[in-house]
Amino acid sequence: VPNDELLHTTVNELMIPADKVAHVQVGNPLEHALLVLVKTGYSAVPVLDAAFKLKGTISKAAIIEQTLGIEQFEFNKLSEMCVNTVMKTEIPILHRDDSFEKALKYVIDNPFVCVADEEGSFDGILTRRAILKQLNRYLHT
Amino acid sequence: VPNDELLHTTVNELMIPADKVAHVQVGNPLEHALLVLVKTGYSAVPVLDAAFKLKGTISKAAIIEQTLGIEQFEFNKLSEMCVNTVMKTEIPILHRDDSFEKALKYVIDNPFVCVADEEGSFDGILTRRAILKQLNRYLHT
Ligand SMILES: Nc1ncnc2c1ncn2[C@@H]1O[C@@H]2COP(=O)(O)O[C@H]3[C@@H](O)[C@H](n4cnc5c(N)ncnc54)O[C@@H]3COP(=O)(O)O[C@H]2[C@H]1O
Ligand SMILES: Nc1ncnc2c1ncn2[C@@H]1O[C@@H]2COP(=O)(O)O[C@H]3[C@@H](O)[C@H](n4cnc5c(N)ncnc54)O[C@@H]3COP(=O)(O)O[C@H]2[C@H]1O
């Protein structure tokens, strides 16, 4: 059954490992977080604490939204606020041994999903691109 | 052959039609474009001209990058520059009757792909989410 191969792929084989993932620290001011996002070119990245535990994700969108004042953008606010007040903490999480099928379900609504172990230590991320490349490979064999 | 159904789906069946796609006009100042992106919540949208022809795409990332000065972010620049100087014009384009397979290839490297007709009139967009939902449907039948 051709589907078997695809369905037996695990998150571990498709994820980007932690050491290759750009991230920000939970205590950083928003201005620093925005700089990291602009320099790495990513629209959103994981947020970790000093012990490398996963705390949430933060996006350019969420940061810019903070600057939306009544009349115009108020960018000075960025140096006054921290990542922890703006980050998203309710995020889906995958484990290394989760199936392709579970990963696919999660990326339908999320450009990327964080991978962590049972202690909450950050392992990496699973991206839509990885799922799409795997699908493309599978359709061409 | 189960793959047949998937491969016979066309862009037309999966795309978001033009009237449901947020966009900006080629002559808008960057400050206006950023406001549209922040209010609609999208990280990037198509750029059209007054005749509804597709001109390119513009992202929050590209706009924010313009504000990156030597020492800090210089947001006043946003009212001084227009969409046409910052938009991406080298973009992949799909046609309504293109195959699922061609669409899949394009979304591997692009979160969304613009759909246009031979005259360059904007028809809609094909998103990664649409491809992933179709894959999920196919794996569950
Ligand atoms: N430096 C680069 N080189 C080549 N292509 C690039 C790129 N930056 C972005 N892209 C392309 O643009 C897509 C959307 O990137 P975005 O930053 O919005 O959204 C990204 C970003 O939020 C996050 N992400 C991906 N790789 C990351 C990394 N190494 N570190 C941190 N976050 C990452 O996962 C989301 C989905 O990534 P995905 O690969 O599916 O999809 C990526 C990829 O196809
Ligand atoms: N208002 C909303 N409601 C529900 N979910 C939302 C949402 N806004 C964003 N998302 C989710 O976040 C993903 C990334 O959105 P993003 O704005 O970065 O990237 C989007 C955006 O740049 C563009 N896009 C999608 N729908 C659009 C629309 N109606 N008008 C203009 N651009 C659109 O296509 C990209 C990929 O979209 P995709 O659907 O694959 O993936 C979307 C979707 O899964």
Side-chain angles (χ1 to χ4, degrees), chain A residues 54-69:
Chain A
L54 178 64
K55 307 304 288 178
T57 60
I58 189 160
S59 66
K60 260 181 203 126
I63 297 174
I64 304 299
E65 244 170 88
Q66 289 307 316
T67 67
L68 207 51

Side-chain angles (χ1 to χ4, degrees), chain A residues 19-129:
Chain A
D19 60 349
K20 294 208 160 56
V21 178
H23 72 272
V24 297
Q25 282 286 322
V26 69
N28 293 153
L30 289 192
E31 191 168 24
H32 175 83
L34 185 60
L35 202 61
V36 169
L37 289 167
V38 173
K39 298 220 159 177
T40 57
Y42 296 117
S43 62
V45 296
V47 178
L48 311 181
D49 67 13
F52 241 67
K53 292 261 191 282
L54 178 64
K55 307 304 288 178
T57 60
I58 189 160
S59 66
K60 260 181 203 126
I63 297 174
I64 304 299
E65 244 170 88
Q66 289 307 316
T67 67
L68 207 51
I70 303 299
E71 296 247 332
Q72 60 199 356
F73 288 105
E74 296 167 3
F75 293 102
N76 40 301
K77 282 192 181 169
L78 298 184
S79 45
E80 303 163 19
M81 299 174 72
C82 278
V83 164
N84 63 323
T85 55
V86 168
M87 69 185 183
K88 194 169 162 199
T89 50
E90 292 231 9
I91 56 172
I93 291 178
L94 287 167
H95 300 288
R96 283 179 182 276
D97 53 6
D98 279 332
S99 65
F100 177 89
E101 205 173 349
K102 183 172 184 186
L104 172 59
K105 245 185 214 58
Y106 282 20
V107 299
I108 281 173
D109 289 315
N110 300 277
F112 73 98
V113 182
C114 293
V115 185
D117 64 20
E118 289 112 19
E119 271 93 65
S121 282
F122 182 63
D123 277 348
I125 61 175
L126 191 286
T127 64
R128 278 176 170 175
R129 187 168 188 275

